[in-house]
Amino acid sequence: FQVAFAPSGQSASVPKGTLLSDAATQAGLTIATPCGGQGRCGRCLVRVDRGEVSQPDNPHLSREQQEKGWVLSCQSRVTGDAVVHVPPKKELQELAVRMAASKVAVPLACGLPFQPALQRVFLELPPPSLEDSAAVLDRLQRALQERLGRRVSVSLPLLRNLAATLRSFDWQVSATVHLGNGSGEGELIDLAPGRTRAPLLGTAVDIGTTNVVAELVDLRSGKVLGSASARNKQVLRGEDVISRIVYSQGPGGLEELQALVVDTINEVLSELAQQQNRSTSEIHELVAAGNTTMMHLFLGLPPRHIRQEPYVPTASHPPLVRAGELGLAINPLAPVYAMPSVAAYVGGDITAGVLSSCLFK
């Protein structure tokens, strides 16, 4: 059968059952298959404009994409004469990013209770008087302990404006508290005026070597409100983790790679917030998953020993950090969880997969 490739106009005559990627090679074209032709990476997309080819089911392709003729060239085989569009690199990158964002999250079905680490409570504080001259911080902590049954600490950035904030809100506030630090003590994350009806927002971020995908979650209901993705800007400094580890060892390399991935995440978070007509400052929690190298670069940890025998990472279970420490454009006090890794090459992405698929049971 004759297979023509657009827009180059090159063509090849091939037997029935030939892979489109092999037909392209015979026509003098090279279609990249980074996963070795296993149909896993989704980066060998082509569009069948005329004719027919076999289209095995593939989770990388949505029903809409398949209806428009998109196939993976490493999986689809020639069944007749065809005209096939090979997208240029920029178009292919945009397609890969959209594909990553379009994947539907599978809700947990492992019998785990829904227990978000953040809680928002409404407080009506008695204003100070000559009869009750307790300090503003003591007044707030007393009310929080009565509602939550635990002491709640207040960081210095919030403390500096606490007196003015409570007075401007007429002593009626909605307090967002982080309860999951493991010490039995909570921490105040934010104060909003009155009884706010705004959703309590968190986000889950998959920091992939190629793409960054995030979902915005209502932490009261567990409902996913939206998803977005972007190409990881670290690709500019290496397409694989080993290249990036090497680059990080140069002058300023680690700082640049950390800034690139944070910039990518911030762009994705901005898109998510715009989808809901919200500000990124209303996002009060972030959970990140990725391979061990990606998590080191995200946190600014030197990854050099991951590629050197005996392959020992700086941290397998990174400590809780604050968004402001990393430059994330959400509430600066928002807790940031990094999914724990198992080893240098068994990362937090695997941990997250085991959790979400219930394989741990």
Side-chain angles (χ1 to χ4, degrees), residues 309-326:
E309 190 177 351
Y311 317 111
V312 177
T314 297
S316 293
H317 196 160
L320 186 75
V321 297
R322 302 298 168 190
E325 298 177 70
L326 299 174

Side-chain angles (χ1 to χ4, degrees), residues 9 30 33 80 85 104 177 209 214 241 266 268 334 337 348:
T30 299
T33 54
H85 170 72
V104 178
V177 179
T209 310
V241 295
N266 283 339
V268 173
Y337 298 88

Side-chain angles (χ1 to χ4, degrees), residues 1-3 16 50-53 77-83:
F1 295 107
Q2 195 74 13
V3 182
K16 180 180 180 179
R50 191 165 66 246
E52 293 185 1
V53 300
R77 298 181 180 274
V78 174
T79 57
D81 293 338
V83 176

Side-chain angles (χ1 to χ4, degrees), residues 1-15:
F1 295 107
Q2 195 74 13
V3 182
F5 294 91
S8 69
Q10 293 163 273
S11 63
S13 180
V14 298

Side-chain angles (χ1 to χ4, degrees), residues 43 89 93 208-212 230-240 243-244 257 260-261 264 294:
R43 294 173 68 182
K89 185 176 181 180
Q93 289 176 354
T209 310
T210 304
N211 298 312
V212 172
R231 193 163 178 81
N232 190 335
K233 294 182 180 181
Q234 290 179 338
V235 171
L236 298 169
R237 298 295 179 254
E239 290 200 347
D240 56 77
S243 299
R244 293 182 203 175
L257 289 171
L260 285 171
V261 71
T264 307
M294 288 297 98

Side-chain angles (χ1 to χ4, degrees), residues 83-265:
V83 176
V84 178
H85 170 72
V86 181
K89 185 176 181 180
K90 183 176 180 180
E91 181 185 355
L92 186 59
Q93 289 176 354
E94 292 173 350
L95 281 167
V97 168
R98 289 202 296 272
M99 284 168 59
S102 66
K103 293 178 183 178
V104 178
V106 179
L108 287 175
C110 311
L112 295 175
F114 179 63
Q115 295 178 328
L118 292 187
Q119 189 169 339
R120 181 177 286 153
V121 294
F122 174 66
L123 303 172
E124 291 185 274
L125 303 176
S129 65
L130 290 175
E131 291 74 25
D132 181 8
S133 58
V136 173
L137 176 59
D138 296 337
R139 192 177 300 275
L140 175 64
Q141 287 181 318
R142 184 172 58 199
L144 286 169
Q145 184 150 9
E146 289 176 358
R147 286 295 307 275
L148 299 173
R150 67 178 72 191
R151 186 179 184 278
V152 175
S153 64
V154 178
S155 65
L156 186 58
L158 278 177
L159 184 58
R160 284 173 174 157
N161 299 308
L162 185 62
T165 298
L166 289 175
R167 285 181 169 85
S168 67
F169 295 165
D170 197 25
W171 304 97
Q172 298 185 27
V173 294
S174 292
T176 301
V177 179
H178 175 230
L179 302 174
N181 59 13
S183 67
E185 181 179 275
E187 181 179 358
L188 185 67
I189 302 299
D190 195 22
L191 288 173
R195 193 187 296 272
T196 179
R197 297 185 180 277
L200 188 56
L201 299 176
T203 186
V205 182
D206 177 9
I207 304 176
T209 310
T210 304
N211 298 312
V212 172
V213 184
E215 288 186 334
L216 191 67
V217 180
D218 184 335
L219 294 177
R220 285 175 168 160
S221 66
K223 180 182 178 182
V224 175
L225 302 176
S227 62
S229 65
R231 193 163 178 81
N232 190 335
K233 294 182 180 181
Q234 290 179 338
V235 171
L236 298 169
R237 298 295 179 254
E239 290 200 347
D240 56 77
V241 295
I242 300 300
S243 299
R244 293 182 203 175
I245 292 173
V246 172
Y247 188 85
S248 74
Q249 295 175 227
L254 178 58
E255 292 78 9
E256 182 183 0
L257 289 171
Q258 198 266 346
L260 285 171
V261 71
V262 168
D263 190 36
T264 307
I265 293 170

